[in-house]
Amino acid sequence: MASKSKHVAKGRVTGSAGRFGPRYGRFCRKMVNESEKISRAKHLCPMCDTIAVKRVGTGIWECRKCGYKYAGGAYVPQTPGLKVVLRTIETKGV
């Protein structure tokens, strides 16, 4: 006799993308959920080194502690391109 095992679903996408219900497909809702989770999280401030940076608007980031406001990526404060540039500057010592 075959063993009884429960069917394991591929995974429901909940969180902020749960507002879409079954629309737009699982992969699109998963991408929206991940990007919104990153953009709504608190990030490290480049001035005072505390985890207090929040997104104010599209590409505008502000530290809640020191008040430092700067432009960054739309969903993350430091874009991958900026990280490459900063790493290059550190290694070359310009």
Side-chain angles (χ1 to χ4, degrees):
M1 184 168 203
S3 64
K4 293 182 180 181
S5 63
K6 289 189 175 185
H7 174 62
V8 178
K10 287 188 177 180
R12 290 190 56 176
V13 179
T14 55
S16 65
R19 67 184 183 270
F20 297 130
R23 297 183 303 263
Y24 311 115
R26 185 173 62 95
F27 183 73
C28 293
R29 287 183 285 123
K30 182 179 176 184
M31 295 297 288
V32 167
N33 191 26
E34 289 174 2
S35 66
E36 287 183 352
K37 191 183 296 184
I38 292 169
S39 68
R40 291 178 180 168
K42 291 183 179 177
H43 298 277
L44 186 68
C45 178
M47 291 294 283
C48 63
D49 290 330
T50 57
I51 300 177
V53 173
K54 295 278 285 186
R55 183 176 185 250
V56 178
T58 306
I60 302 170
W61 299 86
E62 183 178 18
C63 179
R64 302 285 184 187
K65 183 182 176 194
C66 66
Y68 180 65
K69 190 183 280 189
Y70 63 98
Y75 303 110
V76 290
Q78 287 188 344
T79 60
L82 176 64
K83 289 181 182 180
V84 170
V85 169
L86 291 175
R87 189 169 49 236
T88 305
I89 290 172
E90 281 181 11
T91 58
K92 296 207 176 184
V94 175

